[in-house]
Amino acid sequence: MTDELENEIEAINSIYGAGTILKVSQLAAQHHYTLVIPQADVTLRILIPDQYPETCLQFTTVDGVGPTAPKGFGSHVLITARRVVQRVYTPGQVCLFDVLQELEQTLDHESSTLREGEANVSNQLDDAQEPPSPTINASDAVLQPHWTLSTTVTEKKSSFLARSCAVNTTVEA
């Protein structure tokens, strides 16, 4: 491990707290670390080669996700981290601290954009008018099938409702 990397790790742990980046193992010429993304409550694994900073570091996997994170959020953070490394890395210069800062800014921007979008949708729903109900003729009522509805099943913030009706001919279907 180079002095540059040691200084960078020390700086990160000083600013973000002890344990933000920890060495997990060393195999051959590769060092494996875990990096806690404090804002996201996600821990990623990093592979740092002996030749770093001449050779780029790699985010390999998601090591852990906090209990309040939505499903798939760890993978999203991993993909975002890989993109940030591609933007920030310059051969011969340490970049881990810059990657962590840029990653936090990117995630913060995405989060605020998502909140703004949710607020806009909520406002649009509040402003929406009830559509006029269609008029039903007695002849239409005869042709309408009798729908059977299942009980509502809710799974991970999604609701499912099955509908069925009996038909006797392909025209009715």
Side-chain angles (χ1 to χ4, degrees):
M1 179 169 31
T2 65
D3 289 338
E4 293 170 314
L5 178 58
E6 286 179 16
N7 292 340
E8 191 173 34
I9 290 171
E10 184 179 332
I12 290 171
N13 284 332
S14 296
I15 294 169
Y16 292 98
T20 301
I21 183 164
L22 296 172
K23 189 171 191 173
V24 177
S25 66
Q26 178 178 350
L27 299 172
Q30 299 175 341
H31 305 272
H32 295 266
Y33 290 86
T34 58
L35 174 66
V36 177
I37 312 299
Q39 169 194 352
D41 197 18
V42 173
T43 304
L44 302 176
R45 280 204 179 234
I46 307 171
L47 174 71
I48 302 178
D50 274 343
Q51 299 81 18
Y52 177 79
E54 285 76 28
T55 304
C56 188
L57 58 90
Q58 297 174 13
F59 284 93
T60 57
T61 60
V62 177
D63 197 55
V65 178
T68 59
K71 185 175 181 170
F73 185 65
S75 297
H76 170 71
V77 172
L78 177 64
I79 291 167
T80 304
R82 288 175 175 166
R83 288 182 183 148
V84 168
V85 167
Q86 290 174 350
R87 282 195 317 255
V88 172
Y89 175 71
T90 303
Q93 295 182 1
V94 292
C95 68
L96 192 52
F97 182 76
D98 296 333
V99 167
L100 183 55
Q101 284 189 318
E102 181 74 21
L103 180 59
E104 284 189 318
Q105 289 174 357
T106 302
L107 293 173
D108 186 46
H109 177 71
E110 289 175 354
S111 176
S112 64
T113 303
L114 179 62
R115 275 187 249 120
E116 287 173 7
E118 288 173 351
N120 289 341
V121 168
S122 176
N123 289 340
Q124 289 173 356
L125 290 176
D126 291 343
D127 295 342
Q129 295 179 0
E130 187 71 28
S133 59
T135 57
I136 300 176
N137 297 332
S139 61
D140 291 339
V142 174
L143 298 175
Q144 295 295 322
H146 175 70
W147 288 97
T148 304
L149 303 176
S150 71
T151 57
T152 303
V153 176
T154 302
E155 182 71 27
K156 297 184 181 177
K157 299 182 184 178
S158 296
S159 296
F160 301 94
L161 179 66
R163 297 181 177 104
S164 65
C165 70
V167 293
N168 297 321
T169 65
T170 56
V171 173
E172 289 179 350

